[in-house]
Coordinates of all heavy atoms in Angstrom, one line a residue:
A161 N -145.4 158.1 105.0 CA -146.3 157.0 105.5 C -145.6 155.6 105.4 O -146.1 154.7 106.1 CB -147.6 156.9 104.6
A210 N -119.0 168.3 104.9 CA -118.5 166.9 105.3 C -117.3 167.1 106.3 O -117.2 166.3 107.3 CB -118.1 166.2 104.1
A213 N -118.7 168.0 109.7 CA -119.3 166.8 110.3 C -118.3 165.8 110.9 O -118.4 165.3 112.0 CB -120.2 166.1 109.3
E425 N -170.7 192.6 87.7 CA -172.2 192.6 88.0 C -172.4 191.6 89.2 O -173.2 191.9 90.1 CB -173.0 192.1 86.8 CG -173.0 193.1 85.6 CD -171.6 193.2 85.0 OE1 -170.9 192.2 84.8 OE2 -171.2 194.4 84.7
T457 N -153.7 173.2 85.0 CA -153.7 171.8 84.8 C -153.9 171.1 86.1 O -153.4 171.6 87.1 CB -152.3 171.4 84.2 OG1 -152.2 172.0 82.9 CG2 -152.2 169.8 84.1
Y476 N -142.4 164.3 85.1 CA -141.7 165.6 85.0 C -140.4 165.6 84.2 O -140.1 166.4 83.4 CB -141.5 166.2 86.4 CG -142.8 166.8 87.0 CD1 -143.5 166.2 87.9 CD2 -143.2 168.1 86.5 CE1 -144.7 166.8 88.4 CE2 -144.4 168.7 87.0 CZ -145.1 168.1 87.9 OH -146.2 168.7 88.4

Side-chain angles (χ1 to χ4, degrees):
E425 292 70 42
T457 294
Y476 277 105

